[in-house]
Amino acid sequence: MSGEIKLLNITKIFNQGEAEEVTALNGVDFTIPAGSFVSLIGPSGCGKTTLLRCIAGLESPTSGEVLVDGTKITKPGSDRGFAFQQANLFPWLTIRDNVAFGLRARHIYKERKEDVGKFIKLVGLEGFEKSFPHQLSGGMNQRASLARALVGHPKILLLDEPLGALDAFTRMTMQDEILRLWKEHNTTMVMVTHDVDEAVYLSDYVVVMSPRPAKVEKIIPIQISHPRARGQDIFLKYRTRILEILDYAGKVQEVEYAI
């Protein structure tokens, strides 16, 4: 199946009109191994989503190349699934029809229709196939969104803060769900997140990015076996290290007390 991603000196400049330019990415260069889970973390607006969209083929780099298994990416493809921050389900379609939408668009529904039920069951929505998005919770809609992204059997799944709108407990449940899907399908996963704990909990590698124009500050391998416990000393050490790179660790100031 593979799914290796090579980002070769990616620069992306947006023209804002009247000769004003904004550089979102500045020479981003690293490799994402096939089958790995990688999180992109950095300040808001630094270019993480732009980088994800370049991998998806939704944006073209101003310079540099994105290669998937050695092939240059110039447009979207079925080998790359995309899950957005909002579930973005069609409100007039049932959960089953939402999950099947991509297969119908590619005219492969007849030969793959059994996969629709399989992935609905896989994400824990069996029995809700005929429900509409407004009848389900935010977490259940995100499960449907993941099923829709996975049903086409992509080599790569791109996740743009897919859990950002969920409450804390649903978010942790969905993190475990994503891990389970990743392990079962050996899909290369690349996730944008602002949550340091989430990045450490899920990832093989955390890519820490600088403020815009974004470059790679540090790539940190997370050498903790799964399942991970958020209270482990080593977990907290990774968390602190990432916060220090982002300059958000803070410092405890000593206070003198007079009694």
Side-chain angles (χ1 to χ4, degrees):
M1 188 175 182
S2 198
E4 180 191 64
I5 304 166
K6 287 191 174 182
L7 303 164
L8 304 177
N9 200 27
I10 302 296
T11 295
K12 178 63 179 179
I13 301 172
F14 291 100
N15 293 314
Q16 300 293 315
E18 297 297 324
E20 183 182 352
E21 294 182 341
V22 174
T23 303
L25 302 170
N26 184 22
V28 174
D29 194 291
F30 64 95
T31 296
I32 297 173
S36 63
F37 198 122
V38 173
S39 287
L40 308 177
I41 195 163
S44 293
C46 76
K48 302 181 297 296
T49 294
T50 299
L51 184 58
L52 208 67
R53 289 174 64 85
C54 287
I55 298 171
L58 297 170
E59 297 280 358
S60 297
T62 304
S63 63
E65 293 182 334
V66 179
L67 304 181
V68 171
D69 294 330
T71 300
K72 182 178 178 179
I73 297 304
T74 58
K75 59 183 180 181
S78 59
D79 59 337
R80 284 152 286 141
F82 205 117
F84 297 89
Q85 182 172 1
Q86 302 297 330
N88 286 336
L89 301 177
F90 297 111
W92 57 88
L93 295 180
T94 64
I95 293 303
R96 180 179 178 84
D97 287 338
N98 266 290
V99 173
F101 183 83
L103 300 182
R104 293 186 191 278
R106 292 165 55 196
H107 306 291
I108 57 172
Y109 175 72
K110 286 185 178 179
E111 55 263 42
R112 295 275 188 89
K113 63 181 180 181
E114 290 185 3
D115 284 348
V116 177
K118 172 186 170 184
F119 277 92
I120 287 174
K121 182 177 181 179
L122 195 65
V123 299
L125 289 178
E126 190 175 25
F128 294 94
E129 295 89 342
K130 295 181 180 180
S131 299
F132 290 90
H134 73 272
Q135 297 173 313
L136 303 181
S137 68
M140 294 172 82
N141 280 324
Q142 282 294 4
R143 290 171 185 266
S145 179
L146 287 171
R148 181 177 61 184
L150 286 165
V151 73
H153 297 280
K155 294 189 289 187
I156 295 165
L157 183 59
L158 305 168
L159 304 151
D160 189 8
E161 290 197 85
L163 311 182
L166 303 179
D167 67 84
F169 296 113
T170 303
R171 185 170 187 149
M172 286 189 282
T173 299
M174 286 300 298
Q175 287 169 0
D176 289 330
E177 194 72 21
I178 288 172
L179 277 177
R180 183 176 63 81
L181 294 170
W182 169 56
K183 290 177 181 178
E184 287 189 20
H185 293 274
N186 198 33
T187 306
T188 304
M189 292 201 177
V190 187
M191 182 181 69
V192 167
T193 182
H194 286 100
D195 188 325
V196 175
D197 283 22
E198 183 169 83
V200 176
Y201 188 73
L202 295 174
S203 309
D204 291 323
Y205 303 92
V206 176
V207 179
V208 184
M209 302 182 72
S210 71
R212 191 179 69 237
K215 57 182 177 55
V216 175
E217 289 280 12
K218 193 78 174 179
I219 299 177
I220 302 175
I222 306 298
Q223 297 175 327
I224 313 174
S225 59
H226 288 286
R228 295 172 180 171
R230 293 175 175 85
Q232 286 177 282
D233 287 344
I234 190 167
F235 187 103
L236 298 175
K237 286 179 181 177
Y238 277 116
R239 181 180 186 272
T240 301
R241 184 180 176 192
I242 293 168
L243 287 170
E244 286 173 347
I245 296 168
L246 292 167
D247 200 25
Y248 286 120
K251 295 180 180 179
V252 177
Q253 295 185 3
E254 293 184 6
V255 180
E256 293 183 5
Y257 292 93
I259 300 177

